[in-house]
Amino acid sequence: MEFSSTLVGIIITVVMLVPVIFLIMNSSGTDSKVKKSVTKLSQSNGINLKTIDVIGNCVIGIDEVSKKLVYTSKRNPSADLKIVNMEDVKDCRVKSIKQTDKTLDWVGIELVEKTGRRQIPFYNEHDENELSNDPFVCLQDAKRWENTLRPLLKAS
């Protein structure tokens, strides 16, 4: 009786862990494929990304030598690829839209350029296709990227 109870417990644990492990492996595999794709697209434009991150549905990378920022969506990297020359950016700041004190609707980085403003979304509450991320984790990632980008801005 004791052996069969242990065996049933082990089987139930394995059945519950297999899907979780599969999801984790599948997600990390997708992120690495998207990073490779964005790196290749950037290299074809003469940009060698030193740092590249996947944050929510946004893939963002920076070439500190040429001062170029590259960002795109995770769903369609080649069509949504955007390149920003950081020498044309006047200011960079984290932007968030709060619903209440404890909930965020939108998190991203806002770049103020000579010709206008550009927003790079890291989290959007109303995007149905986006994988669920903690908005406050995305906010911390946005602050980290703001600190990475600020030294590259042209002093004016």
Side-chain angles (χ1 to χ4, degrees):
M1 181 72 177
E2 189 175 309
F3 177 72
S4 62
S5 298
T6 305
L7 186 61
V8 169
I10 290 172
I11 291 172
I12 289 174
T13 304
V14 168
V15 167
M16 292 176 68
L17 286 178
V18 167
V20 173
I21 292 170
F22 177 75
L23 286 173
I24 291 170
M25 288 174 47
N26 191 23
S27 174
S28 63
T30 303
D31 286 356
S32 103
K33 287 178 187 174
V34 169
K35 283 182 180 182
K36 285 180 184 177
S37 171
V38 171
T39 301
K40 285 181 182 177
L41 287 167
S42 300
Q43 287 174 344
S44 69
N45 288 305
I47 300 168
N48 295 314
L49 298 177
K50 178 186 173 196
T51 307
I52 187 167
D53 268 341
V54 177
I55 305 168
N57 188 39
C58 181
V59 182
I60 186 168
I62 188 78
D63 180 356
E64 293 179 357
V65 175
S66 66
K67 295 188 177 182
K68 304 271 190 206
L69 173 72
V70 175
Y71 69 96
T72 185
S73 71
K74 189 174 171 181
R75 276 182 244 120
N76 196 356
S78 56
D80 297 336
L81 185 74
K82 303 215 178 15
I83 299 171
V84 179
N85 186 352
M86 292 306 290
E87 293 177 346
D88 296 336
V89 176
K90 293 180 181 179
D91 192 20
C92 166
R93 60 180 163 249
V94 173
K95 183 177 179 183
S96 62
I97 299 172
K98 292 184 178 183
Q99 190 173 23
T100 65
D101 286 341
K102 295 183 180 182
T103 59
L104 296 170
D105 274 352
W106 191 91
V107 175
I109 291 180
E110 182 177 58
L111 303 175
V112 179
E113 298 175 296
K114 297 172 185 170
T115 58
R117 296 175 189 267
R118 186 186 302 242
Q119 295 181 345
I120 304 172
F122 288 171
Y123 174 82
N124 186 354
E125 177 70 29
H126 304 291
D127 187 356
E128 296 295 326
N129 297 324
E130 186 174 318
L131 297 173
S132 63
N133 284 347
D134 185 352
F136 292 99
V137 172
C138 291
L139 184 62
Q140 292 302 315
D141 288 335
K143 288 178 182 177
R144 182 174 47 83
W145 270 96
E146 178 188 29
N147 292 335
T148 302
L149 298 176
R150 210 165 266 288
L152 301 176
L153 300 178
K154 186 174 183 178
S156 55

